[in-house]
Amino acid sequence: MRFPDLPEDVERDAHACLQCGYCNFVCPIQLDPDHGFESYRVRGKMYHLKQYAHPGLFARLSGNRARISPEFVERVYNCTACGYCQVACHVEIKFNDRWEQVKEWFVKNGIGPLDRHSALRTRVIAKHNPYDEPHETRADWIPKTAKISKNPEILYFAGCTASYRQQKIAQDATKVLDAAGVEYGILGGDEWCCGSPLIRTGQTDIVTDEKDGLVHHNINEVEKRGAKTLLTACAGCFMTLSHNYPKYAGRQSFEIFHMTQFIDRLILEKRLVLKKPLPKKVAYHDPCHIGRHFGIYEEPRRILNAFPDSHYLELPRNRENSQCCGAGGGYKIQFNDRAEYIASLRVQEARDIGAEMLVSACPFCVTNLTGGAKKAGIDMPVAELVSLVAESV
Ligand code: SF4
Ligand code: SF4
């Protein structure tokens, strides 16, 4: 079946692809031996798109045209949005946006997303979170002891994972802000899903809708309070709020910081002093959505170095070359076993350098790496950096 033309950027980049294959050695999907063959590879998918957009002479004469099959759609959704192919690409294809454009094109033409991604859509519309939890309980994580200010310039955006699944991380974030004497507020029950799992799976219509869309709702809530700064500990929320929101809303009326950036600044300004050493020998895992996507590499490391009498261990694959935990891009939601397999390899990497604990800076990475440790049968606690900081202030 023929669908309307590919988005212009995608078609242009499919042509630009050299078929050189440097991207083949970095994609986390290939770490699973069952999903390492060409149709799962970035190079294979780009060739398929190129042939679909502009078949060669033989294909045109013979009528053997490339088609967009359900199998091909499934291959494209085998992606964690880790951004490694963009780093590796020898013609600098902007894959971070391109894969999302391809998925958006699938959705517009009724051939995407995959079944579990569609369920996300239903849940987010009904309950404003992808976990099918009641919206009324969204703010239940907020500790009674949190020193919430009235009309503060700074707001904390917890995100769905920390609000419903990793509540300690959100609670620890308030503990850190309180320890530093920061005046802040919390969106709490007025916060909706940032839209990350929908955007990464091509379901952008309900995110961007001018009336009921998540983008406009969340921005309006921040602007209504006159806040100037939004903080989040979630790497997925950070990427969505920083990269997608200004694009969709056409404006940027407040600053956005990831908690690692903000804590780093508090430590540099001596407003926050870490008093206790790290609890164990920790290795730091770079979340893709703050690392490769935004270059936030040194802030978390400076925080780890600020713990007294301790140092952290560097994983062999780090910073730009960090290995994805396997959770992002809607991959874990659709392919949980495969996502945890990828995470298990990262846990093994940490064990092999003698780490006793893996630390990251994203609630979703913490969840998947914890699953990966279990899958690998390795006793490796996984912590959020903000929680280690909270234990040390
Ligand atoms: S973004 Fe990551 S997971 Fe997706 S295709 Fe590129 S390297 Fe593979
Ligand atoms: S590295 Fe870039 S140009 Fe080379 S095969 Fe991969 S996508 Fe194509």
Side-chain angles (χ1 to χ4, degrees):
M1 182 174 172
R2 292 295 297 175
F3 299 104
D5 289 345
L6 286 169
E8 205 179 313
D9 293 338
V10 175
E11 187 177 329
R12 188 199 57 232
D13 286 347
H15 268 289
C17 173
L18 303 170
Q19 292 292 296
C20 58
Y22 291 101
C23 52
N24 285 344
F25 303 103
V26 300
C27 180
I29 306 304
Q30 266 84 72
L31 295 172
D32 179 349
D34 290 340
H35 300 94
F37 38 92
E38 191 68 13
S39 65
Y40 282 96
R41 292 181 172 171
V42 175
R43 178 179 65 183
K45 292 183 237 186
M46 291 304 275
Y47 188 68
H48 196 128
L49 288 170
K50 180 180 174 178
Q51 288 300 313
Y52 176 80
H54 284 277
L57 180 63
F58 179 77
R60 276 184 277 136
L61 290 176
S62 66
N64 297 118
R65 303 275 300 263
R67 63 194 165 90
I68 303 293
S69 62
E71 292 83 3
F72 178 71
V73 172
E74 193 260 358
R75 299 300 192 267
V76 173
Y77 279 102
N78 265 270
C79 169
T80 66
C82 75
Y84 212 165
C85 49
Q86 175 162 318
V87 169
C89 182
H90 276 46
V91 290
E92 295 174 9
I93 293 173
K94 304 279 180 246
F95 277 112
N96 297 343
D97 288 329
R98 293 302 167 263
W99 290 132
E100 284 172 22
Q101 287 171 302
V102 176
K103 292 172 193 164
E104 199 176 29
W105 183 76
F106 288 160
V107 172
K108 275 188 187 145
N109 287 294
I111 45 170
L114 304 184
D115 55 347
R116 294 195 180 166
H117 301 145
S118 303
L120 281 181
R121 177 192 184 88
T122 314
R123 291 185 209 144
V124 172
I125 289 173
K127 301 183 179 174
H128 311 314
N129 74 81
Y131 294 114
D132 208 20
E133 296 288 348
H135 179 70
E136 302 69 51
T137 61
R138 189 174 184 106
D140 285 3
W141 66 266
I142 300 174
K144 292 202 171 36
T145 48
K147 296 176 189 149
I148 298 167
S149 305
K150 278 193 180 149
N151 307 318
E153 293 205 344
I154 296 172
L155 285 175
Y156 174 66
F157 189 97
C160 300
T161 304
S163 295
Y164 293 110
R165 294 287 181 269
Q166 298 278 357
Q167 296 179 324
K168 185 172 181 304
I169 293 172
Q171 289 158 354
D172 287 340
T174 64
K175 195 173 162 195
V176 171
L177 295 173
D178 286 337
V182 175
E183 292 191 1
Y184 66 96
I186 298 173
L187 282 176
D190 291 327
E191 176 188 299
W192 287 2
C193 172
C194 70
S196 172
L198 298 170
I199 296 168
R200 309 293 158 242
T201 54
Q203 306 179 86
T204 46
D205 52 330
I206 58 162
V207 178
T208 57
D209 184 273
E210 291 258 346
K211 193 165 152 278
D212 302 317
L214 309 173
V215 171
H216 294 279
H217 170 84
N218 286 326
I219 289 180
N220 288 342
E221 289 298 327
V222 176
E223 289 178 346
K224 213 162 77 182
R225 290 163 171 77
K228 299 281 178 283
T229 302
L230 197 59
L231 300 179
T232 182
C234 177
C237 293
F238 178 79
M239 172 155 153
T240 307
L241 296 163
S242 306
H243 178 66
N244 300 102
Y245 274 38
K247 198 167 71 177
Y248 294 143
R251 67 183 189 279
Q252 170 90 63
S253 45
F254 46 86
E255 282 184 300
I256 297 150
F257 288 98
H258 188 261
M259 277 302 280
T260 54
Q261 296 175 299
F262 199 72
I263 292 172
D264 177 47
R265 187 198 272 189
L266 292 173
I267 292 173
L268 290 174
E269 290 172 355
K270 304 205 183 319
R271 292 171 65 189
L272 199 62
V273 179
L274 304 188
K275 297 173 191 140
K276 293 185 204 156
L278 288 165
K280 289 173 186 282
K281 275 192 226 167
V282 306
Y284 178 66
H285 165 78
D286 290 277
C288 303
H289 286 174
I290 61 167
R292 259 189 297 273
H293 287 264
F294 285 92
I296 303 175
Y297 298 125
E298 301 316 318
E299 294 88 336
R301 288 173 168 81
R302 273 198 296 268
I303 297 170
L304 285 163
N305 282 330
F307 284 82
D309 306 323
S310 38
H311 69 281
Y312 74 97
L313 299 174
E314 197 68 84
L315 287 160
R317 285 177 287 179
N318 61 69
R319 298 179 173 83
E320 202 175 61
N321 297 312
S322 176
Q323 187 219 296
C324 174
C325 78
Y331 188 67
K332 181 174 173 62
I333 295 147
Q334 184 71 33
F335 307 108
N336 188 48
D337 261 11
R338 298 184 204 172
E340 289 189 347
Y341 172 74
I342 291 171
S344 73
L345 301 179
R346 193 61 163 159
V347 174
Q348 285 170 41
E349 196 179 328
R351 181 203 52 193
D352 291 348
I353 58 164
E356 297 163 342
M357 177 185 258
L358 197 47
V359 59
S360 191
C362 174
F364 209 43
C365 290
V366 169
T367 303
N368 201 44
L369 289 166
T370 303
K374 203 167 159 201
K375 196 175 190 77
I378 296 174
D379 181 18
M380 173 81 66
V382 183
E384 232 282 354
L385 185 49
V386 76
S387 294
L388 295 189
V389 171
E391 282 162 23
S392 182
V393 292

